[in-house]
Amino acid sequence: MFIYLNFCFCALLSQTKTGIALLYDEVSENAYDIRLKLTKEVLTIQKQDVVCVSGSDHSANVHLLRNAGDEVTITVQYLREAPSFLKLPLGSPGPSSDHSSGASSPLFDSGLHLNGNSINTAPSSPSSPIANEPKYEKRWLDTLSVPLSMARISRYKAGTDKLRSNAFEVLALDGVSTGILQFYTAQESADWLRAISTNISDLTLQNMKMANKCCSPSDQVIHMGWVHERLEGTDSSQLYKFKFLALKGSSFYIFSTPPVSTLDWVRAEKIYNLCEVLFKIHKLWLADDCWLQANLYLGIHQDFDLEDHRPYCFSVMVGHGKSHYFNVELCSELAVWEKSFQRAIFLEVQRTGSKTYMCSWQGDTLCFTVDFALGFTCFDSKTKNVLWRFKFSQLKGSSDDGKTRVKLLFQNLDTKQIETKELEFQDLTAVLHCIHSFIAAKVASVDPVFIDSQSIARKYMYSN
């Protein structure tokens, strides 16, 4: 029976958080104070406004306008307190003097009114002419709420691979954006990025559980989430676009928008068989001026232009020598994708058991089978006669021409001699990836720590 290292997503603790930040306008290059409120499901942006906290407020009769009919007559009255609406009491602290704490504005906490009175001040007597005069206060009011379910985050300037300094943007599933959220320190930016990412991941897990209730055990969603995909433009410039990836059942999916219904799964931009893909980490950001390039070579070698400045990059190599190059925001995300691909591929090998490909050699049409229990078998496609069979452990090496032909080097158990078997495939890349998937799954079945020992992202994430 196929035994593999159990992999389960850690229970993510949804975070609640409140703090002061800046909302940056890239057009005007201006920024102003806002307050952020993070809950399990929503990120809310608050701006300061003046509200009436006591006394009579003529604005309380705004309902009169709604019910007045087609024509109304408005009388404008001078309000002597109006000049104080726009400034704090003399000597009061500014609304953004404490940028690092998660507390509300000092004005709100101190209870100071714009007219200079404190909330704790004894009320005026009923006979006082100012007893019913309105009192105003600056408070943080909700202006935008962004649902975090299926939301995505970007730290990059649009159309570039340049990171914003201590800033990022959160976009909801429907495309509504928070705008550019800027923070006073790198630590604040990192803390908020991790907190929001954690809540998005937690909601994604909930969506996966709901989707899996409608799926058979062999068609479960293993992992899904947003990434940036690098696209090559006609002028060779590097462009990145948001893509939504999913590992489900036997397939690896690439979407432009997340699947929210059962029908959406057939509308993916690309669908690949998991046995025939190869996950490959390219860059890990270890420090501000240091990155690690990890090359996992198998069969057909492919080089990527790694001159961009994006860390946490990986590719998924597919059939016919093609690849998709992706980038994520955090090292923890890269580690999850790496582990998820391993698990999804191993599960598919277990479910499939074997894969057979048509091939040829010296004019004969043959069938080449990779079997989890038996190893490699080659037989005549017409007579079904077995030409040769070797175990996985007998494979001692391989080489290929990068196009269609491959040489497999097997050791004969009786003679200890190396036998070379040459085959030609229409899609050599897919076959090589399949061989890699079956061998890796075979090793994992006898060595439970194999998956963790092969995890490059996890190794460097924890050591750093």
Side-chain angles (χ1 to χ4, degrees):
M1 180 178 179
F2 178 43
I3 303 173
Y4 59 90
L5 179 65
N6 287 328
F7 175 78
C8 61
F9 293 99
C10 297
L12 298 176
L13 299 177
S14 298
Q15 298 195 26
T16 58
K17 191 177 177 67
T18 304
I20 302 297
L22 293 172
L23 189 61
Y24 178 71
D25 188 331
E26 290 185 308
V27 177
S28 64
E29 297 186 347
N30 293 325
Y32 54 91
D33 283 337
I34 59 171
R35 190 168 73 160
L36 298 177
K37 284 177 56 181
L38 176 65
T39 63
K40 176 182 177 180
E41 298 182 343
V42 176
L43 176 65
T44 301
I45 294 179
Q46 297 180 317
K47 297 179 182 178
Q48 279 192 330
D49 201 353
V50 178
V51 297
C52 180
V53 295
S54 65
S56 60
D57 183 8
H58 296 291
S59 63
N61 299 321
V62 68
H63 70 280
L64 296 177
L65 292 176
R66 287 198 298 266
N67 303 325
D70 296 334
E71 295 184 6
V72 295
T73 300
I74 298 177
T75 302
V76 180
Q77 179 180 348
Y78 174 75
L79 184 63
R80 64 184 181 84
E81 290 88 355
S84 65
F85 289 4
L86 305 179
K87 63 183 179 180
L88 296 172
L90 185 62
S92 298
S96 58
S97 60
D98 182 6
H99 300 299
S100 61
S101 70
S104 59
S105 73
L107 173 64
F108 184 35
D109 290 340
S110 66
L112 291 175
H113 298 263
L114 289 184
N115 55 17
N117 295 329
S118 171
I119 290 178
N120 297 324
T121 302
S124 302
S125 63
S127 60
S128 171
I130 63 171
N132 294 323
E133 289 189 4
K135 296 178 181 178
Y136 297 89
E137 201 176 83
K138 274 189 178 181
R139 288 189 177 178
W140 294 105
L141 303 179
D142 294 352
T143 58
L144 177 65
S145 293
V146 177
L148 296 180
S149 180
M150 298 294 190
R152 58 192 190 271
I153 300 176
S154 177
R155 294 185 294 161
Y156 296 92
K157 295 181 179 179
T160 74
D161 60 356
K162 295 181 180 180
L163 283 170
R164 294 188 174 97
S165 178
N166 302 339
F168 57 84
E169 179 182 15
V170 182
L171 297 100
L173 177 61
D174 60 2
V176 172
S177 170
T178 58
I180 309 304
L181 305 178
Q182 196 169 56
F183 299 86
Y184 292 92
T185 67
Q187 185 61 50
E188 278 186 293
S189 179
D191 289 345
W192 274 98
L193 180 64
R194 280 191 293 266
I196 296 173
S197 296
T198 295
N199 289 12
I200 292 175
S201 298
D202 191 32
L203 293 170
T204 300
L205 289 178
Q206 293 183 23
N207 290 329
M208 287 168 48
K209 291 178 181 178
M210 293 178 61
N212 286 338
K213 290 180 180 179
C214 304
C215 300
S216 66
S218 63
D219 199 32
Q220 297 285 292
V221 180
I222 301 299
H223 187 56
M224 61 184 184
W226 286 102
V227 298
H228 303 270
E229 182 177 14
R230 191 178 78 179
L231 307 175
E232 297 296 336
T234 54
D235 58 352
S236 299
S237 62
Q238 297 174 0
L239 299 176
Y240 282 85
K241 288 188 177 181
F242 276 111
K243 298 292 181 179
F244 192 86
L245 308 185
L247 303 174
K248 181 176 183 290
S250 62
S251 303
F252 163 51
Y253 296 82
I254 302 178
F255 297 91
S256 57
T257 58
V260 294
S261 68
T262 304
L263 294 176
D264 289 339
W265 288 97
V266 299
R267 298 169 183 163
E269 292 182 350
K270 301 287 183 181
I271 303 177
Y272 300 103
N273 185 277
L274 281 168
C275 286
E276 298 177 348
V277 303
L278 180 66
F279 179 93
K280 180 178 179 181
I281 288 180
H282 286 278
K283 285 197 296 183
L284 280 172
W285 201 267
L286 303 182
D288 290 341
D289 57 352
C290 177
W291 58 268
L292 169 73
Q293 176 183 347
N295 286 321
L296 306 178
Y297 174 76
L298 172 73
I300 299 175
H301 182 65
Q302 295 187 347
D303 287 324
F304 288 88
D305 178 10
L306 300 177
E307 294 181 355
D308 61 61
H309 300 289
R310 297 197 177 206
Y312 316 130
C313 299
F314 68 92
S315 68
V316 179
M317 303 171 69
V318 296
H320 297 288
K322 297 181 180 179
S323 291
H324 295 273
Y325 188 87
F326 302 108
N327 155 255
V328 291
E329 298 287 345
L330 300 171
C331 185
S332 58
E333 292 181 288
L334 183 60
V336 171
W337 277 114
E338 182 185 28
K339 193 69 172 267
S340 299
F341 263 94
Q342 290 174 342
R343 185 191 178 211
I345 290 172
F346 293 171
L347 285 174
E348 179 56 18
V349 169
Q350 180 188 27
R351 284 190 294 264
T352 303
S354 66
K355 293 279 288 184
T356 299
Y357 298 90
M358 298 296 294
C359 62
S360 63
W361 184 244
Q362 295 181 344
D364 295 327
T365 301
L366 308 175
C367 291
F368 175 75
T369 297
V370 186
D371 189 280
F372 186 77
L374 301 177
F376 305 98
T377 302
C378 188
F379 58 92
D380 188 279
S381 62
K382 297 179 181 179
T383 65
K384 307 302 180 183
N385 292 331
V386 175
L387 304 179
W388 48 262
R389 175 176 288 142
F390 295 96
K391 298 179 180 179
F392 289 114
S393 59
Q394 292 178 266
L395 180 63
K396 300 304 178 181
S398 66
S399 62
D400 61 79
D401 64 356
K403 297 178 181 177
T404 60
R405 294 186 180 184
V406 62
K407 292 182 179 180
L408 301 175
L409 308 179
F410 297 102
Q411 185 180 45
N412 188 298
L413 295 179
D414 297 326
T415 65
K416 305 301 181 184
Q417 297 297 313
I418 298 297
E419 298 183 16
T420 301
K421 305 298 181 182
E422 296 189 40
L423 299 171
E424 187 171 355
F425 297 91
Q426 184 177 4
D427 187 354
L428 177 60
T429 307
V431 177
L432 294 177
H433 291 171
C434 182
I435 293 174
H436 177 272
S437 297
F438 273 73
I439 292 178
K442 192 69 175 181
V443 174
S445 69
V446 297
D447 182 6
V449 300
F450 173 74
I451 297 179
D452 279 339
S453 67
Q454 297 299 306
S455 178
I456 297 175
R458 287 167 63 87
K459 183 186 303 181
Y460 283 94
M461 180 177 67
Y462 293 133
S463 65
N464 196 38

